[in-house]
Amino acid sequence: MRTTLQEIQDGESFDIVVVGAGGAGMSAALFGALQGAKVLLLEKTEYVGGTTAFSAGTTWIPGSHHAAGIGVHDDSPAKAGGYLDLAVGERSRAELRRVFLENGPKAVRAIETGTSVRYRARPLHPDYISDLEGSTLRGRALEPLPFDGRLLGERFRLIRPPIPEFTVLGGMMIDRDDVNHLLRLTRSFASFRHGVRLLARHALDRLRHPRGTRLVMGNALIASLLHSLDAQDVPVLTECRLERLQRGTAGIEALEVSQKGVKRRIVVKGGVILASGGFNRHPERRRALLPGSDPQWCPGAPGHTGQAHDLAEAVGARYGAPGLSHAFWAPVSIRKRADGSTAAFPHFILDRGKPGMITVDRDGKRFLNESTSYHLFGIGMREAGVAPAYLVTDAEGLRKYGLGMVRPGGKGLKPFLADGYLTAGATLAELAGRLGIDAAGLQDSVRRINDYARSGVDLDYRRGTTDYQRVNGDAAQQPNPNLGPIGTAPFYAVRLYPGDIGAATGFATDTDARVLDKDDAPIDGLYAVGNDMHSIMGGTYPGPGITLGPGLTFAYLAAQHAVARAKAPLAREEAKSAAV
């Protein structure tokens, strides 16, 4: 297996070259290899996985064969398409959404055939705008099965480690099922047994590995993709940089790349598939498209610098028309790590939407529905001009649900208080004073939320009025699972910032993921998938995994088209020979 550019001949020809080894890029490379193509995968950083490795790995694919396994038999492209029509509307081309819905289930079957990649449907994982017709509570959100990292051998080191704050005990990954078991460790024999197995496995891992090898969520997806690419003998070159795309009369004909001082010109017959992760860390594009957003607030992997976008624009590529937002968002809290790096911790569902939690601005006033999706929460922060916002709870809320990087249980608070990540006060007024926000406003907001907790009705922002919100609340809290009182001293808060978790704006493409130029003509041999492709969701966020779902599907379509393009000259020669 070739792993360095030095092993690639100058001028060597490949059917497909994929730029970027995140979830979409690795899938595109695998789809090409499964069709017999000669594929090369390039990654600029030292790891494979991109932001997918940091994520839950959830993949939104309506109508897959996995849905029937959890009793969902009534979903259809028409139902899902109607939901997207209402959620997305004219912010993206309906034709692209149709092609996604038709081909998503095919892509799932194709990647699970003859590879290590395996998915399952979550029993309960609602669409995010669950009050719209056509939404579902289950069946569309697929998650990767856990993967044994030991199967990769020395290649395990290539997998981008998860965000450290999402692991426990020095590198043990846990998913939502593990979390539930660990929280019930002393109350359920099944949970105790599950927890003991996890801990024993991790103890053995740490004798041989720098972190746990039981991989879940996005790490599991990336590891299974790498294992499958290795089985197909696809060269995966890390720390390899795209330097130039060469466009000729027949489209993209070659590219120039470099790795640790070695440079090569590579001929491409089928096409170059861009999957470099989006524009988010490109300084100029970030300033233009995400004004006022500090790069430290971005919890994404470091590779998406947008450098490949500059090269694609140089050969005629263009971005798609703006949608609801240029990026996808989540509220994040910030903390300096011991090594000097910055941790941006996404607040997805574990705390802010739970009862006994409110988010306020500098005036101590609520300004949004805390239980809405993380994307709409981030957009709400930006629209209100609130950064930071303050996520406030009491001792009981902290004990039950944790607060950002602070684990549930209410213990081990000292380091978080010492470095200012967590702020505490014996009274709400004291907490407000330490945060530098209006005490009267905070006290009034808490009084109002306590009234709403008793009645079950949030008269200000309607928390707990959709299935999505209620599922992510606490069913034990009645009459509304998202509303609970705040009153048990001491009181706590963390600061929240709007963090961009991915790019929604990218290159305009056709239904085969071919990049379009300013005249809407496809650039032959140039494709964009993942966050390099303009989102078919138009900057909206209708459900869990709406980046990885289209990423998988259009990787499948791009690879099919590129393979056919690579074979076309041979087919023409064979036709000529047959005619003679």
Side-chain angles (χ1 to χ4, degrees):
M1 181 189 304
R2 295 185 287 180
T3 60
T4 68
L5 192 57
Q6 213 161 15
E7 299 169 280
I8 307 295
Q9 298 299 313
D10 194 45
E12 187 170 347
S13 176
F14 287 84
D15 296 323
I16 296 174
V17 177
V18 181
V19 179
M26 295 177 80
S27 297
L30 184 54
F31 281 130
L34 289 171
Q35 296 176 69
K38 182 182 178 184
V39 180
L40 176 64
L41 177 58
L42 310 176
E43 167 57 38
K44 184 169 62 176
T45 72
E46 70 272 33
Y47 296 114
V48 300
T51 299
T52 302
F54 284 170
S55 76
T58 305
T59 303
W60 196 77
I61 301 285
S64 78
H65 62 281
H66 290 292
I70 57 169
V72 176
H73 304 282
D74 61 345
D75 205 1
S76 67
K79 181 178 179 180
Y83 172 63
L84 291 181
D85 287 346
L86 293 173
V88 181
E90 297 182 357
R91 298 186 182 98
S92 78
R93 289 169 51 200
E95 183 183 21
L96 288 171
R97 302 198 299 267
R98 175 186 60 78
V99 168
F100 161 64
L101 293 172
E102 288 176 356
N103 289 278
K106 299 176 186 176
V108 173
R109 280 197 181 276
I111 206 165
E112 289 185 322
T113 301
T115 80
S116 302
V117 179
R118 294 291 182 273
Y119 293 99
R120 64 187 173 198
R122 287 297 303 179
L124 181 61
H125 209 334
D127 292 333
Y128 287 175
I129 317 176
S130 60
D131 50 337
L132 293 183
E133 184 178 355
S135 66
T136 66
L137 293 177
R138 56 184 61 83
R140 294 174 179 170
L142 308 182
E143 67 178 8
L145 267 62
F147 186 85
D148 187 347
R150 294 173 297 190
L151 296 175
L152 292 171
E154 289 298 315
R155 306 276 281 172
F156 176 57
R157 62 179 175 78
L158 288 181
I159 307 297
R160 181 172 293 282
I163 295 174
E165 291 74 23
F166 279 177
T167 66
V168 298
L169 301 176
M172 184 173 83
M173 294 196 71
I174 53 176
D175 60 18
R176 66 180 66 201
D177 295 328
D178 299 328
V179 170
N180 291 333
H181 280 299
L182 292 174
L183 290 175
R184 298 196 306 266
L185 202 62
T186 59
R187 302 196 302 272
S188 159
F189 178 72
S191 293
F192 176 78
R193 183 174 56 187
H194 183 90
V196 168
R197 286 175 177 170
L198 287 182
L199 296 172
R201 164 71 181 272
H202 185 62
L204 290 174
D205 279 346
R206 289 312 306 271
L207 295 176
R208 303 177 179 89
H209 304 281
R211 66 182 180 101
T213 62
R214 176 186 176 267
L215 307 181
V216 296
M217 303 187 294
N219 248 228
L221 177 58
I222 293 303
S224 63
L225 285 166
L226 180 60
H227 191 253
S228 302
L229 288 167
D230 287 349
Q232 295 289 329
D233 202 27
V234 174
V236 180
L237 309 188
T238 56
E239 299 180 271
C240 191
R241 179 184 176 95
L242 175 66
E243 300 289 354
R244 178 173 173 260
L245 292 167
Q246 181 182 323
R247 183 177 182 180
T249 56
I252 302 300
E253 299 175 344
L255 63 161
E256 295 174 6
V257 300
S258 64
Q259 182 193 55
K260 298 180 179 179
V262 177
K263 295 185 178 181
R264 293 286 187 267
R265 179 180 181 271
I266 296 170
V267 176
V268 60
K269 294 190 292 185
V272 174
I273 301 177
L274 298 178
S276 67
F279 70 84
N280 297 63
R281 295 191 191 277
H282 189 293
E284 288 78 20
R285 294 179 195 271
R286 186 177 186 88
R287 281 193 289 270
L289 301 179
L290 309 178
S293 182
D294 191 318
Q296 289 196 105
W297 303 346
C298 174
H304 54 325
T305 64
Q307 177 253 350
H309 289 213
D310 294 340
L311 301 177
E313 284 190 340
V315 296
R318 70 164 178 88
Y319 273 8
L324 176 65
S325 175
H326 290 297
F328 300 115
W329 300 94
V332 300
S333 51
I334 304 297
R335 189 184 189 213
K336 284 289 184 184
R337 299 188 178 109
D339 64 3
S341 63
T342 298
F345 184 92
H347 292 246
F348 290 128
I349 61 172
L350 296 179
D351 51 18
R352 58 181 175 79
K354 294 293 193 292
M357 302 266 175
I358 60 169
T359 302
V360 300
D361 58 18
R362 288 188 63 84
D363 294 326
K365 299 294 187 181
R366 295 174 65 213
F367 60 95
L368 47 59
N369 181 338
E370 295 91 341
S371 300
T372 193
S373 75
Y374 42 87
H375 179 56
L376 292 179
F377 194 109
I379 287 178
M381 292 182 71
R382 286 179 62 82
E383 289 179 344
V386 178
Y390 306 88
L391 178 58
V392 176
T393 190
D394 63 2
E396 185 65 8
L398 185 73
R399 183 188 66 79
K400 283 184 176 180
Y401 313 114
L403 199 61
M405 302 182 205
V406 179
R407 311 285 186 195
K411 301 183 186 304
L413 305 184
K414 188 176 293 186
F416 297 100
L417 292 167
D419 64 16
Y421 174 78
L422 182 68
T423 304
T427 65
L428 288 170
E430 183 177 81
L431 178 66
R434 291 179 175 174
L435 293 171
I437 67 177
D438 186 78
L442 178 60
Q443 290 169 326
D444 181 64
S445 294
V446 169
R447 179 189 60 78
R448 293 173 70 86
I449 207 72
N450 288 348
D451 288 343
Y452 301 158
R454 285 188 288 271
S455 68
V457 179
D458 175 5
L459 297 176
D460 296 325
Y461 295 101
R462 305 183 68 244
R463 277 177 73 173
T465 56
T466 71
D467 289 333
Y468 167 77
Q469 294 173 30
R470 289 190 289 270
V471 164
N472 290 322
D474 184 343
Q477 179 67 40
Q478 295 298 325
N480 186 322
N482 300 103
L483 297 175
I486 299 174
T488 305
F491 302 92
Y492 299 96
V494 294
R495 294 167 176 82
L496 299 180
Y497 303 85
D500 50 300
I501 58 175
T505 292
F507 291 117
T509 66
D510 67 6
T511 53
D512 290 309
R514 292 186 295 175
V515 175
L516 303 178
D517 64 16
K518 61 182 177 60
D519 298 318
D520 272 351
I523 300 172
D524 286 335
L526 186 62
Y527 306 82
V529 298
N531 286 348
D532 280 358
M533 176 184 174
H534 194 62
S535 173
I536 66 168
M537 301 302 174
T540 69
Y541 214 112
I546 55 85
T547 55
L548 293 186
L552 174 72
T553 303
F554 285 96
Y556 170 71
L557 294 170
Q560 279 190 327
H561 193 276
V563 169
R565 185 171 183 269
K567 293 178 178 178
L570 178 60
R572 285 195 293 270
E573 289 300 318
E574 290 175 344
K576 286 180 183 178
S577 298
V580 171

